[in-house]
Amino acid sequence: MMRALAVTGGIGSGKSFVVQMFAAMGVPVYDADSRTKGLYASDPELLSRLQDILGDELLQDGVLDRRYMASRIFSDRRLLLDVEAEVFPRVIDDFRKWKDNTERMRAVECHSSVPGFVILESAVYLEKPLLAGTADRVLTVVCPQDVRVERVMLRSSMSREEVLERMANQWDDGRRTTLSDFIIVSDFRHPLLPQVWEVYNKMNSI
């Protein structure tokens, strides 16, 4: 059975770039964020449950209004927890089905060059108890705050204050790393490839 490695990290940490490096090595990647968006578009039962929680205005012409949902759940923790209780179990189920399908496809390619694990990319994997245990190992990508701020400002229209506010609502690196099996430093000073290669080899040897 293929193992699962959860890859997480704060905004601007370089998590997605690290995941791309694993993908280039042939590791299948499940992007939890994009797959969740897909569920919003393909799971009518989920939409109905979310509409019961957040009200009729959630759907515009049958399509989930993500801005409306964000405005409701990020100002009301109870609503946030109710939404997560509906969304995360479906994401976990979707991930497991995807992983099973990936295993079946890889079974016919079974040779030494095929990686023995998949990646679950999720920025909130450690922060959400409902996701606990979905992956076999956890990798956190870390980076100094000043570098993270500059990265986010360069790729978006967010101001420094907005980036810092977003970071304040996330776990810090220290809290994540205490719960992680692997740590990769993405700060332009520590070469990434040797770090990724080391994790790759360790995951294949489990």
Side-chain angles (χ1 to χ4, degrees), residues 5 27 60 64 83 86 88 105 109 111 113 167 181-182 196:
L5 174 66
V27 182
Q60 300 296 327
L64 183 141
V83 167
E86 294 294 332
F88 286 151
M105 294 175 62
E109 307 172 5
H111 51 79
S113 64
M167 288 180 176
D181 301 283
F182 308 110
V196 171

Side-chain angles (χ1 to χ4, degrees), residues 79-106:
L79 284 179
L80 173 62
L81 293 175
D82 289 345
V83 167
E84 290 178 346
E86 294 294 332
V87 173
F88 286 151
R90 285 173 168 82
V91 173
I92 293 169
D93 183 61
D94 183 59
F95 169 71
R96 288 174 175 162
K97 289 178 180 176
W98 171 88
K99 182 173 175 288
D100 288 345
N101 186 57
T102 300
E103 287 189 59
R104 286 193 293 270
M105 294 175 62
R106 286 297 173 101

Side-chain angles (χ1 to χ4, degrees), residues 151-198:
R151 282 175 177 169
V152 178
M153 290 176 63
L154 283 172
R155 74 188 189 202
S156 71
S157 59
M158 296 174 65
S159 67
R160 181 176 299 274
E161 291 71 24
E162 289 172 328
V163 177
L164 290 172
E165 182 179 1
R166 181 77 63 86
M167 288 180 176
N169 291 322
Q170 298 180 338
W171 280 17
D172 60 40
D173 284 344
R175 191 173 181 184
R176 290 191 190 92
T177 56
T178 59
L179 299 174
S180 300
D181 301 283
F182 308 110
I183 300 168
I184 284 181
V185 181
S186 172
D187 62 356
F188 302 119
R189 295 190 300 109
H190 296 76
L192 280 176
L193 184 56
Q195 298 181 79
V196 171
W197 184 244
E198 181 179 7

Side-chain angles (χ1 to χ4, degrees), residues 42-110:
S42 64
D43 188 337
E45 182 182 348
L46 174 59
L47 287 182
S48 177
R49 289 294 301 120
L50 295 180
Q51 192 171 30
D52 289 342
I53 295 169
L54 298 174
D56 293 341
E57 294 180 29
L58 177 68
L59 300 184
Q60 300 296 327
D61 297 323
V63 178
L64 183 141
D65 186 334
R66 295 179 61 210
R67 286 189 177 182
Y68 173 80
M69 182 168 73
S71 70
R72 295 292 310 280
I73 65 178
F74 291 125
S75 60
D76 188 325
R77 179 168 175 76
R78 182 68 260 168
L79 284 179
L80 173 62
L81 293 175
D82 289 345
V83 167
E84 290 178 346
E86 294 294 332
V87 173
F88 286 151
R90 285 173 168 82
V91 173
I92 293 169
D93 183 61
D94 183 59
F95 169 71
R96 288 174 175 162
K97 289 178 180 176
W98 171 88
K99 182 173 175 288
D100 288 345
N101 186 57
T102 300
E103 287 189 59
R104 286 193 293 270
M105 294 175 62
R106 286 297 173 101
V108 300
E109 307 172 5
C110 190

